[in-house]
Amino acid sequence: MRIALLVMMFPPKNLGGTEIASYNIAKHLARRNHEVHVITSSDPGVPNYKSESGFFIHRTVLNHTKYIGIVLFAITSMIQVTKIRPDIIHAQNITMGMIAFFGKKFFKIPYVVWGRGSDVHLQWKFKKYVSKIVLNNADVSIALSQNMKDEMQKLSKKDIYVIPNGIDPAIFKESKVKKDYTGTKIIYVGSLLPIKGVKYLIKAMQILHPTNPDIHLTIVGDGSDRRSLEQMVHEYALVQNISFVGKLPHKDIPQWLCNNNILVLPSNSEGMPNVLLEAMAAGLPVVATNVGGIPDIIKNKRNGYLVEPKNPQEIAEKIQYLINNSQMRKIISEQNKMDSQRYNWNNIVQNLDSLYSKVLKTD
């Protein structure tokens, strides 16, 4: 099967959840003997055409001028589609689905669209109009979580499948997992943007510090909020307790997770964050907000604890509970390592492959 996978950005320079998932989807589809072509935007210093991990990457021009840039990207991507002539187009979010829609309309190529998070949960111009066109014309629509499916279903007359993100458990076996159930090392991994709610985690650290003077938070990631967050840390006199390490290569994340004791994800909105699955594979208890697809993964007392968004007091209470209860941390740690096996990329892509075959009516 020849597959064109459309995604706005792609590694190595872009390492968000959608980008990492797209890389793994392409790699695992190629391992299943499919001819996979990723169509994405260009990056300075990165070749516009490359073969990697058994699949092909085609990078087209992305002008960052508002609207005009997106239109140019759509046109150049459509040109790539006509050259590749795929059996099926896979769009990695609803906006990419518009390109797939035109591929179906003009060239009769079926398409699959996979909602990724912000395209479903956040507001953007023409969202309702575009989403209805893309979802109602797609041969298959996929959501990452039940919550996302419910949102997408409001705009689609067709049933929507749920397939979560995946992980590669092997990379955690290669990392040195420290079985320390008494430490007070907290980690956050993600972008430093307002929607990620990191300031509420820093406020929780301020609450925790007086009774836990040795507590330490490592913040992995970068973004527009970094300067203001660093300023908060100085104002709260937590410079010795909170470290900003910036953006790291994705291959380094497993070891950073394994070197810490608890993952906290204080987001105001989420799709289905990969870092939760990675933290589970590393055996970390999780404290995360009850938003988006997070409750599909994290069950209270089984995988960690859910808290309400924008509530530093509740975040602090759950972290403190885990600090005080090493036996509970051990139980959750072992449970998380077992539960994470369900999200193996091999299984996820097998389900995706079955949907492709259903669309094309092949075995």
Side-chain angles (χ1 to χ4, degrees), residues 4-5 14 26 41 55 77 87 106 109 114 151 157 199-200 205 228 236 253 258 271 277 296 304 311 322 349-350 355:
L5 192 152
N14 297 285
S41 58
F55 62 90
S77 295
D87 299 306
F106 295 116
I109 305 171
W114 198 338
E151 288 300 309
K157 297 175 183 177
K199 69 179 181 180
Y200 302 107
M205 287 290 290
S228 63
Y236 292 167
I253 298 302
C258 291
L277 307 179
D296 281 17
N311 192 330
L322 288 168
V349 173
Q350 182 178 6
L355 290 180

Side-chain angles (χ1 to χ4, degrees), residues 135-184:
L135 296 175
N136 287 302
N137 286 280
D139 294 271
V140 167
S141 296
I142 306 170
L144 285 172
S145 66
Q146 184 61 45
N147 173 271
M148 188 181 291
K149 174 182 176 175
D150 294 341
E151 288 300 309
M152 292 168 68
Q153 205 70 72
K154 294 174 185 178
L155 300 171
S156 176
K157 297 175 183 177
K158 299 180 178 181
D159 194 28
I160 291 166
Y161 295 85
V162 175
I163 301 179
N165 275 330
I167 54 170
D168 182 358
I171 63 176
F172 292 91
K173 291 178 182 178
E174 295 165 5
S175 302
K176 293 181 180 179
V177 181
K178 294 191 174 181
K179 297 184 182 299
D180 179 6
Y181 304 114
T182 61
T184 55

Side-chain angles (χ1 to χ4, degrees), residues 79-332:
I79 291 170
Q80 287 292 342
V81 168
T82 62
K83 291 179 180 178
I84 295 165
R85 300 299 294 181
D87 299 306
I88 194 166
I89 299 173
H90 175 134
Q92 279 286 77
N93 77 18
I94 290 172
T95 52
M96 292 294 97
M98 277 304 294
I99 302 172
F101 166 73
F102 287 119
K104 182 175 183 178
K105 185 174 180 64
F106 295 116
F107 303 105
K108 310 301 181 189
I109 305 171
Y111 73 91
V112 170
V113 60
W114 198 338
R116 302 305 305 176
S118 59
D119 56 327
V120 176
H121 294 300
L122 300 185
Q123 290 303 314
W124 41 277
K125 203 162 187 178
F126 309 120
K127 175 185 175 180
K128 189 174 181 180
Y129 177 73
V130 170
S131 297
K132 282 185 174 181
I133 291 174
V134 170
L135 296 175
N136 287 302
N137 286 280
D139 294 271
V140 167
S141 296
I142 306 170
L144 285 172
S145 66
Q146 184 61 45
N147 173 271
M148 188 181 291
K149 174 182 176 175
D150 294 341
E151 288 300 309
M152 292 168 68
Q153 205 70 72
K154 294 174 185 178
L155 300 171
S156 176
K157 297 175 183 177
K158 299 180 178 181
D159 194 28
I160 291 166
Y161 295 85
V162 175
I163 301 179
N165 275 330
I167 54 170
D168 182 358
I171 63 176
F172 292 91
K173 291 178 182 178
E174 295 165 5
S175 302
K176 293 181 180 179
V177 181
K178 294 191 174 181
K179 297 184 182 299
D180 179 6
Y181 304 114
T182 61
T184 55
K185 293 190 288 186
I186 317 300
I187 188 168
Y188 164 85
V189 180
S191 302
L192 304 186
L193 302 171
I195 199 168
K196 294 297 186 177
V198 180
K199 69 179 181 180
Y200 302 107
L201 175 53
I202 293 174
K203 289 178 181 178
M205 287 290 290
Q206 183 191 32
I207 296 168
L208 289 162
H209 181 247
T211 52
N212 304 273
D214 295 328
I215 195 169
H216 190 273
L217 167 64
T218 300
I219 297 176
V220 179
D222 214 339
S224 60
D225 268 12
R226 178 164 178 170
R227 183 172 294 181
S228 63
L229 294 172
E230 288 175 332
Q231 184 61 38
M232 278 183 70
V233 170
H234 280 275
E235 289 173 0
Y236 292 167
L238 294 172
V239 176
Q240 301 301 315
N241 302 89
I242 300 179
S243 302
F244 292 81
V245 299
K247 197 173 184 178
L248 297 174
H250 185 250
K251 65 180 178 62
D252 294 343
I253 298 302
Q255 192 63 63
W256 279 85
L257 290 171
C258 291
N259 288 342
N260 283 274
N261 308 119
I262 300 167
L263 174 88
V264 181
L265 199 66
S267 305
N268 299 329
S269 177
E270 278 289 356
M272 188 184 190
N274 259 41
V275 70
L276 289 185
L277 307 179
E278 293 169 338
M280 289 167 65
L284 267 65
V286 172
V287 176
T289 43
N290 188 14
V291 297
I294 291 176
D296 281 17
I297 311 171
I298 304 302
K299 307 301 180 187
N300 272 322
K301 297 185 181 180
R302 179 183 177 93
N303 311 109
Y305 292 93
L306 295 172
V307 298
E308 291 307 304
K310 303 180 181 180
N311 192 330
Q313 184 63 46
E314 194 177 6
I315 294 171
E317 288 171 3
K318 297 306 182 188
I319 293 173
Q320 187 66 64
Y321 178 81
L322 288 168
I323 288 173
N324 293 343
N325 291 272
S326 59
Q327 186 59 32
M328 176 61 80
R329 285 162 70 174
K330 184 176 181 179
I331 292 169
I332 291 173

